[in-house]
């Protein structure tokens, strides 16, 4: 990247300038986010464009404040500027605000009732543009545009995907333990825009978001038999994925979203299959007697991690995505299940049963480098954050059996609870749309 | 041959069911007070049958005659214990004597299995039970299997100390599909059985 070298010095000086905020051993960039101007204040469905401009700046600050790499300031206390200046900042006017980088942009009403949101990131030291984004969105969707801007800035600074526009689907569990009511829910990564996609009449499990966040594949007991269904992420267009009378479950999208790996059980033998996301005839990948399930693609789509009890206990295996070269990678003790490949490809998260509890760990795709991250009574169903920094999982409380979503940093530390309106299970975190 | 007998049986059932004001499958009536009316044919020897008894009544009969509608397993296991085999042998006899009732063999796993594996294990257990029943003479078309994974723990198995109780297969009776039913009425308010 051509900005990289200049940027490194920038972060270094920024960290020096703001050593109060900088965490030990970590460079942090101070980012000024003044409010977005509008060429003409127009009333839209989402409010006046001038107000949206303030809200977008606030949202960007709020998003970036959750990161360690960026310390955002504003929009209060920062000077106003004109939409013309957004694309050509007057650098001398931004000197002396103690920031290493500047966010500008504008909000403009369109003739069709939507709005244009344009945002830029400038390196104040080298006086160069680092990235820019432009969106034409419904006025009510200004927040998503703000999330995407924040994500682009985070990516420009850290070279990692930002989480801000990512979504989480999970199973909301109410009712009693013997008669649970399960609904598929979806929300933004920060818990906003929470919606239910199924209504609880039928037991559902294992919702998985497609990489673009547009579709959800899940398992349903509709018709009395576990089978896979797929729907749009707003709950519409719900349909059965397979024309099969055998039970199918454990779905997961390939990284390009074009195919879905899953398990099908026929007469006591569960194997892994792949099918086109639009349906069609599934292709069988494993034939071992015993249970092969929980497939998860590598980010390049060339390999699949899965669990199998062919050795006598559940263990984690990796194979090529055509089913060849199946080999075991988990040798760290206990029975190991639910492998999920990290988006950066470096690790596989898994759940380990020790005989007394189930815990979440990570290992390298070649096996080894194991690290256990949690020590709950029952922690399972891992799912990666888009930046591969966090593992979200389901924690079941001893005694009540109540489930909740938690996330733990792969660096270690205590898990943090993810707020959901009801007890929750089976999280799936989407990728990030660039 | 059996299929033809089943069709005939269900045709008979369809006529008599509507005459009696019953709701046919898939809307089986919940048991009402005084239900079933006394004097309805019970047990074997009435084939081809008159009106099929309500499923809860038949299930009670199965539990009494076979000892249990449930067989249990150890963790991760799908092996039938001698006790389970005795129960299933009795269940098989009952099913052979009631050819006009289908059975759904429902496999479960305990709540401390991971979700995907629990579904697979429930299916493996159900398949093991079905195969035993078929070997004991039950016609395969009378049986279907389904796995509930860990989604339906029993009331016995919700406590931490007893979670293994959920490793089980339950034989759930179903009326055969109404093959000749040309039209399925909407669910109606529950009609009271005629005394």
């Amino acid at each position: 990247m051509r900005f990289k070298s200049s940027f490194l010095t920038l972060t270094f000086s920024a960290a020096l300038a703001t050593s109060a905020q900088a965490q030990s051993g970590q460079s942090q960039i101070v980012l000024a986010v003044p409010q977005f101007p509008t060429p003409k204040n127009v009333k839209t469905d989402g409010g006046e464009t001038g107000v949206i401009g303030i809200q977008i700046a606030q949202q960007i600050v709020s998003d970036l404040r959750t990161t360690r790499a960026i310390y955002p300031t504003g929009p209060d206390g920062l000077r106003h500027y004109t939409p013309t200046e957004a694309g050509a900042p007057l650098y001398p006017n931004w000197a002396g605000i103690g920031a290493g980088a500047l966010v500008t942009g504008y909000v403009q009403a369109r003739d069709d009732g939507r709005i244009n949101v344009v945002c830029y990131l400038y390196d104040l030291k080298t006086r160069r543009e680092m990235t820019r984004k432009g969106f034409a969105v419904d006025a009510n969707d200004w927040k998503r545009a703000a999330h995407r801007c924040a994500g682009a800035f985070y990516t420009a600074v850290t070279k990692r995907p930002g989480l801000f526009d990512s979504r989480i689907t999970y199973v909301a569990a109410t009712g009693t333990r013997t008669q649970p009511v399960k609904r598929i829910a979806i929300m933004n990564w920060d818990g906003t825009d929470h919606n239910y996609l199924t209504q609880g009449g039928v037991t559902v499990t294992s919702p998985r978001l497609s990489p673009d966040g547009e579709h959800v594949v899940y398992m349903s007991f509709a018709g009395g038999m576990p089978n896979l269904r797929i729907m749009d992420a707003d709950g519409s267009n719900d349909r059965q994925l397979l024309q099969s009378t055998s039970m199918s479950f454990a779905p997961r999208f390939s990284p390009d979203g074009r195919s879905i790996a899953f398990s099908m059980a026929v007469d006591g033998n569960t194997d892994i299959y792949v099918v086109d996301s639009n349906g069609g005839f599934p292709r069988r990948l494993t034939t071992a007697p015993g249970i092969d399930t929980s497939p998860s693609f590598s980010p390049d789509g060339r390999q699949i991690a899965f669990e199998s009890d062919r050795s006598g206990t559940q263990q984690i295996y990796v194979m090529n995505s055509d089913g060849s070269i199946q080999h075991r990678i988990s040798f760290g003790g206990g029975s190991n299940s639910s492998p999920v490949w990290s988006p950066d490809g470096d690790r596989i998260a898994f759940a380990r049963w020790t005989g007394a509890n189930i815990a979440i760990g990570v290992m390298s795709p070649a096996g080894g480098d194991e690290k256990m991250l949690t020590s709950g009574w029952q922690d399972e169903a891992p799912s990666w954050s888009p930046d591969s920094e966090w593992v979200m999982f389901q924690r079941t409380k001893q005694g009540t059996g109540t489930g909740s979503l938690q996330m733990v940093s792969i660096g270690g530390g205590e898990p943090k609870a993810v707020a959901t309106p009801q007890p929750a299970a089976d999280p799936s975190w989407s990728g990030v749309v660039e | 041959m059996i299929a033809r007998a089943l069709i005939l049986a269900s045709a008979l059932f369809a006529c008599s069911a509507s005459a009696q004001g019953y709701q046919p499958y898939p809307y089986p009536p919940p048991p009402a007070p005084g239900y079933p009316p006394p004097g309805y044919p019970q047990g074997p020897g009435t084939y081809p049958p008159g009106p099929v008894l309500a499923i809860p009544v038949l299930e009670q009969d199965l539990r009494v005659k076979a000892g249990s509608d449930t067989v249990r397993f150890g963790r991760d296991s799908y092996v039938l214990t001698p006790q389970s085999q005795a129960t299933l042998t009795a269940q098989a006899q009952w099913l052979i004597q009631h050819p006009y009732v289908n059975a759904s063999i429902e496999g479960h796993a305990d709540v401390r299995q991971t979700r995907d594996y629990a579904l697979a294990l429930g299916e493996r257990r159900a398949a093991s039970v079905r195969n035993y029943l078929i070997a004991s003479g039950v016609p395969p078309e009378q049986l279907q299997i389904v796995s509930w994974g860990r989604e339906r723990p029993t009331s016995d198995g919700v406590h931490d100390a007893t979670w293994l109780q959920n490793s089980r297969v339950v034989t759930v009776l179903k009326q055969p599909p109404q093959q000749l039913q040309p039209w399925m009425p909407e669910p109606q308010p529950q009609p009271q059985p005629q005394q």
Side-chain angles (χ1 to χ4, degrees):
Chain A
M1 295 304 286
R2 92 191 138 104
F3 301 121
K4 199 169 181 182
S5 56
S6 64
F7 177 68
L8 281 176
T9 48
L10 165 73
T11 49
F12 182 65
S13 55
L16 281 181
T18 62
S19 55
Q21 286 98 23
Q23 293 169 5
S24 56
Q26 182 128 29
S27 65
Q28 198 178 31
I29 178 171
V30 176
L31 187 63
V33 190
Q35 71 181 57
F36 283 26
T38 182
K40 188 175 167 211
N41 198 20
V42 176
K43 244 184 196 154
T44 67
D45 296 346
E48 294 177 7
T49 50
V51 177
I52 293 176
I54 299 170
Q55 289 171 317
I56 285 178
Q58 286 167 341
Q59 185 65 53
I60 290 172
V61 168
S62 150
D63 283 351
L64 293 173
R65 198 159 274 163
T66 62
T67 71
R68 278 172 293 194
I70 299 175
Y71 182 84
T73 64
D76 296 344
L78 293 174
R79 67 175 277 262
H80 295 190
Y81 57 94
T82 63
T84 329
E85 195 192 325
L90 304 169
Y91 289 106
N93 290 347
W94 298 105
I97 57 169
L102 170 72
V103 168
T104 63
Y106 61 87
V107 180
Q108 184 179 31
R110 293 162 57 102
D111 292 340
D112 60 5
R114 298 192 295 164
I115 54 172
N116 287 330
V117 176
V118 179
C119 56
Y120 302 85
L121 177 66
Y122 294 101
D123 185 332
L124 286 178
K125 185 110 176 169
T126 59
R127 300 191 167 183
R128 284 173 126 161
E129 180 185 319
M130 295 170 71
T131 189
R132 71 166 82 178
K133 286 277 168 189
F135 307 97
V137 294
D138 286 343
N140 279 315
D141 275 344
W142 60 263
K143 204 183 265 189
R144 289 202 72 183
H147 287 320
R148 295 252 183 119
C149 287
F153 301 156
Y154 182 77
T155 305
V157 170
T158 64
K159 313 296 173 219
R160 289 182 161 279
L163 317 178
F164 314 112
D165 193 41
S166 63
R167 301 216 269 178
I168 292 161
T169 179
Y170 69 96
V171 174
T174 52
T176 64
R177 285 174 97 169
T178 53
Q179 288 294 326
V181 175
K182 300 201 165 183
R183 290 181 291 173
I184 291 175
I186 192 166
M187 61 186 184
N188 289 345
W189 77 291
D190 57 359
T192 58
D193 289 342
H194 189 282
N195 266 314
Y196 295 103
L197 302 182
T198 66
Q199 297 314 316
V202 175
T203 294
V204 290
T205 72
S206 353
R208 308 284 180 232
L209 273 163
S210 61
D212 62 5
E214 299 293 321
H215 303 281
V216 177
V217 63
Y218 65 104
M219 197 216 76
S220 164
F221 278 94
M225 174 71 79
N227 64 87
L228 297 182
R229 301 184 69 83
I230 189 168
M231 61 186 165
D232 294 350
D234 61 359
S236 65
N237 226 342
D238 180 45
R239 61 203 184 273
Q240 194 168 324
L241 180 66
L242 302 164
Q243 304 301 319
S244 166
T245 52
S246 299
M247 73 178 242
S248 51
F249 53 101
R252 222 176 264 279
F253 278 97
S254 65
D256 63 5
R258 289 203 190 130
S259 45
I260 293 167
F262 65 97
S263 273
M264 188 149 72
V266 181
D267 200 19
N269 181 19
T270 296
D271 281 310
I272 291 169
Y273 295 73
V274 171
V275 71
D276 192 277
S277 305
N278 296 319
F281 195 74
R283 199 155 44 87
R284 185 172 178 176
L285 298 185
T286 67
T287 54
I291 294 171
D292 298 333
T293 189
S294 299
S296 168
F297 280 94
S298 63
D300 63 6
R302 289 188 186 157
Q303 288 175 291
I304 295 175
F306 64 102
E307 69 173 72
S308 173
D309 67 356
R310 60 184 70 171
S311 73
T313 57
Q314 284 164 277
Q315 298 298 345
I316 295 167
Y317 292 71
V318 168
M319 62 181 167
N320 290 343
S321 54
D322 62 0
S324 63
I325 318 188
Q326 301 178 15
H327 60 284
R328 176 173 165 180
I329 62 163
S330 65
F331 294 96
S335 45
N336 299 284
S337 59
S338 314
V340 187
W341 218 303
S342 68
D344 65 7
D346 291 349
R347 292 182 179 81
I348 289 174
F350 62 96
R352 169 171 293 168
W353 164 254
T354 59
N357 46 40
I358 307 178
I360 300 289
V362 291
M363 69 169 79
S364 84
D369 288 338
E370 270 183 15
K371 181 176 177 185
M372 298 310 291
L373 299 177
T374 75
S375 57
W377 186 66
Q378 184 157 339
D379 295 339
E380 60 189 313
S383 176
W384 286 93
S385 66
D387 63 359
S388 304
E389 290 281 326
W390 298 86
V391 177
M392 186 176 282
F393 61 96
Q394 167 191 347
R395 169 164 283 182
T396 305
K397 213 170 164 187
Q398 186 171 12
T400 62
T402 308
S404 66
L405 305 188
Q406 309 263 333
M407 54 193 273
V408 65
S409 163
I410 57 163
E414 277 300 299
K416 297 195 236 181
V418 178
T420 53
Q422 274 126 11
D426 260 4
S428 166
W429 204 330
S430 77
V432 171
V433 183
E434 290 298 330
Chain B
M1 195 60 200
I2 289 164
R4 185 179 279 184
L6 277 174
I7 291 169
L8 181 63
S10 49
L12 283 170
F13 169 71
C15 300
S16 49
S18 53
Q20 295 292 327
Y22 288 168
Q23 287 301 312
Y25 184 82
Y27 309 112
Y35 190 85
Y40 272 60
Q42 308 272 338
T46 59
Y47 182 79
V52 172
L53 292 174
I55 290 297
V57 178
L58 290 167
E59 284 185 335
Q60 179 60 30
D61 191 50
L62 171 71
R63 279 194 290 269
V64 169
K65 301 242 169 70
S68 175
D69 58 359
T70 303
V71 293
R72 298 193 191 279
F73 298 84
R75 186 182 159 89
D76 293 344
S77 171
Y78 60 104
V79 176
L80 297 168
T81 62
Q83 189 196 345
S84 298
Q85 293 183 8
T87 303
L88 291 178
T89 305
Q91 284 188 10
Q93 282 166 1
W94 191 95
L95 287 167
I96 292 165
Q97 288 164 353
H98 296 75
Y100 50 87
V101 183
N102 282 2
S104 173
I105 309 300
E106 304 195 344
H108 299 262
D110 68 77
V111 293
R112 305 210 66 189
Q113 299 283 1
T114 45
R115 197 173 305 280
D116 296 341
Y117 191 76
L119 282 163
L121 186 57
E123 198 268 351
R124 190 192 245 177
R125 286 171 174 160
S128 154
V129 165
R130 180 189 57 186
N131 293 346
Y132 189 91
L133 291 174
I134 291 171
S136 304
V138 179
E141 56 270 29
Q142 201 177 345
L143 304 173
Q144 64 178 74
I145 65 174
V146 61
S147 173
W148 280 96
R150 58 186 240 197
E151 309 303 323
R152 286 288 182 279
T154 67
S155 49
D156 304 333
V158 296
H159 302 296
D160 297 341
T162 55
W163 50 266
L164 206 50
Q165 296 282 311
N166 294 308
S167 298
R168 68 199 194 277
V169 170
V170 185
T171 302
V172 178
L173 301 182
K174 307 254 163 159
Q175 284 173 351
Q178 302 290 298
Q179 291 164 3
L180 296 182
Q181 192 86 355
W183 172 78
M184 190 65 76
E186 292 297 312
Q188 301 286 327
Q190 171 60 40
Q192 289 303 311
Q194 316 243 325
Q195 289 298 326

